[in-house]
């Protein structure tokens, strides 16, 4: 929601340059962090429990599917960086391809889900709806109301966050793009990915990895589609470095899964090194 708010605020004429920088930084920074820092942190926090050579056992077909679709979509997004902004039809075509890729991925995943649930990979909410605690019944209407309230709070919070990033950029004299590439994903994606740390420590490896790789597909397809069609989406050095390291870390993880390697925490030290190199290069 942060990049969406930033980009659409920019197209409506409010601090256009800053809005575009925040939007592009948020769009590209999220898959960068997910493919590097988040996987490393999950490995780091499970290592005291299982050891650095302990086995991680996510369901392999879903993991391979997620990473494969992500690499295709994000690779296309990276190619789009080199398409001049004035070639509008090409930009629109790439954006529509990214949207189509995501919905094809959703269809393929849903078709595979029934078999996975039958094999014991299903889950359910651990507690009742918050609105149910007020005495309301757990019905579809109540579920949709709570969903709408949550979405409204996210939009409001995203608007405040974008304003804060733009103000901090001006106050510190730092590019909003650099600040967004580093700060926005940590503030928006990382807290939610704490779920992966909790799940992996409880032995729910499939949920832990799926929480990250599913987000990777979303962040690598739908949101770049907005960037390609509504922002300059140009190949500046920070953007190219981030995109390159994201593809490197994602490709490395995909090859491990593709080759049938038993994943172990030490495998993700490489992902952590990729994020460290990126952080120090930008700072």
């Amino acid at each position: 929601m942060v990049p969406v708010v930033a980009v659409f605020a920019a197209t409506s004429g409010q601090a256009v340059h800053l809005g575009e920088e925040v939007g592009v930084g948020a769009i590209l920074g999220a898959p960068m962090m997910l493919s590097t820092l988040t996987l490393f942190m999950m490995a780091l926090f499970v290592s005291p429990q299982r050891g650095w050579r302990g086995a991680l056992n996510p369901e392999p077909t879903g993991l391979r599917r997620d990473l494969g679709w992500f690499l295709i979509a994000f690779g296309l997004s990276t190619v789009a960086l080199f398409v001049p902004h004035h070639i509008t039809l090409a930009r629109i075509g790439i954006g529509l391809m990214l949207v189509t890729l995501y919905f094809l991925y959703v269809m393929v995943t849903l078709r595979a889900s029934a078999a996975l649930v039958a094999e014991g990979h299903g889950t359910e909410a651990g507690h009742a709806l918050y609105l149910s605690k007020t005495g309301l019944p757990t019905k579809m209407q109540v579920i949709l109301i709570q969903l709408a309230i949550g979405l409204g709070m996210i939009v409001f919070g995203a608007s405040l966050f974008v304003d804060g990033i733009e103000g901090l950029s001006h106050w510190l004299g730092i590019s909003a793009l650099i600040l967004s590439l580093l700060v926005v994903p940590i503030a928006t994606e990382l807290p939610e990915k704490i779920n992966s740390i909790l799940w992996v420590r409880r032995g729910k490896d499939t949920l832990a990895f799926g929480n990250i790789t599913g987000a990777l597909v979303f962040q690598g397809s739908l949101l770049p589609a907005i960037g390609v069609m509504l922002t300059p989406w140009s190949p500046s050095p920070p953007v190219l470095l981030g995109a390159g390291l994201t593809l490197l870390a994602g490709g490395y993880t995909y090859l491990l899964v593709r080759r049938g390697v038993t994943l172990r925490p030490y495998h993700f030290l490489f992902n952590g090194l990729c994020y460290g190199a990126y952080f120090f290069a930008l700072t």
Side-chain angles (χ1 to χ4, degrees):
M1 193 57 67
V2 169
V4 170
V5 169
V7 169
F8 280 96
T11 57
S12 65
Q14 302 174 14
V16 175
H17 180 66
L18 281 177
E20 288 176 345
E21 286 197 341
V22 173
V24 171
I27 291 170
L28 289 173
M32 169 66 197
M33 192 203 69
L34 288 167
S35 62
T36 57
L37 181 62
T38 304
L39 285 170
F40 168 71
M41 287 188 63
M42 184 177 64
L44 178 67
F45 279 92
V46 80
S47 61
Q49 185 183 71
R50 304 190 198 182
W52 283 102
R53 302 187 67 84
L56 300 169
N57 300 297
E59 194 284 315
T61 61
L63 189 58
R64 185 167 59 247
R65 179 180 62 246
D66 288 358
L67 290 169
W69 281 85
F70 163 70
L71 290 171
I72 293 171
F74 195 76
L76 183 59
S77 304
T78 303
V79 170
L81 290 167
F82 299 95
V83 177
H85 193 255
H86 64 272
I87 307 180
T88 307
L89 287 178
R91 290 270 185 144
I92 293 175
I94 292 174
L96 292 177
M97 287 176 63
L98 289 170
V99 173
T100 303
L101 278 172
Y102 181 72
F103 283 101
L104 288 174
Y105 158 78
V106 170
M107 291 175 60
V108 171
T109 301
L110 289 177
R111 288 178 180 175
S113 66
L116 294 178
V117 170
E119 293 172 6
H121 295 289
T123 188
E124 60 183 18
H127 55 79
L129 292 169
Y130 285 103
L131 291 183
S132 296
K133 296 177 182 179
T134 66
L136 294 173
T138 303
K139 293 184 176 181
M140 179 59 71
Q141 296 92 325
V142 177
I143 293 172
L144 292 177
I145 290 171
Q146 180 165 312
L147 180 65
I149 292 172
L151 180 60
M153 294 172 67
I154 289 173
V155 173
F156 178 69
S159 179
L160 293 178
F161 189 79
V162 169
D163 290 342
I165 287 291
E166 292 176 354
L168 186 62
S169 168
H170 177 75
W171 188 68
L172 294 176
I174 298 174
S175 164
L177 174 63
I178 301 295
L179 205 57
S180 299
L181 285 167
L182 293 176
V183 175
V184 172
I186 291 175
T188 57
E189 282 290 330
L190 196 57
E192 195 276 326
K193 293 302 170 281
I194 297 299
N195 288 331
S196 291
I197 294 173
L198 297 176
W199 275 326
V200 78
R201 287 179 62 84
R202 295 171 185 170
K204 298 181 178 181
D205 295 3
T206 297
L207 285 177
F209 277 89
N211 187 41
I212 296 172
T213 58
L216 268 174
V217 182
F218 177 82
Q219 300 282 9
S221 54
L222 275 190
L223 293 186
I226 295 172
V228 170
M229 291 190 285
L230 298 179
T231 75
W233 202 253
S234 54
S236 63
V239 167
L240 287 178
L241 177 62
L245 286 173
T246 300
L247 290 170
L248 177 63
Y252 161 76
T253 308
Y254 176 76
L255 286 176
L256 290 177
V257 178
R258 183 76 179 178
R259 293 172 58 189
V261 175
T262 299
L263 297 177
R264 305 182 190 280
Y266 74 81
H267 284 132
F268 299 102
L269 291 173
F270 178 78
N271 301 69
L273 288 173
C274 287
Y275 185 83
Y278 186 61
F279 182 85
F280 285 111
L282 291 190
T283 54

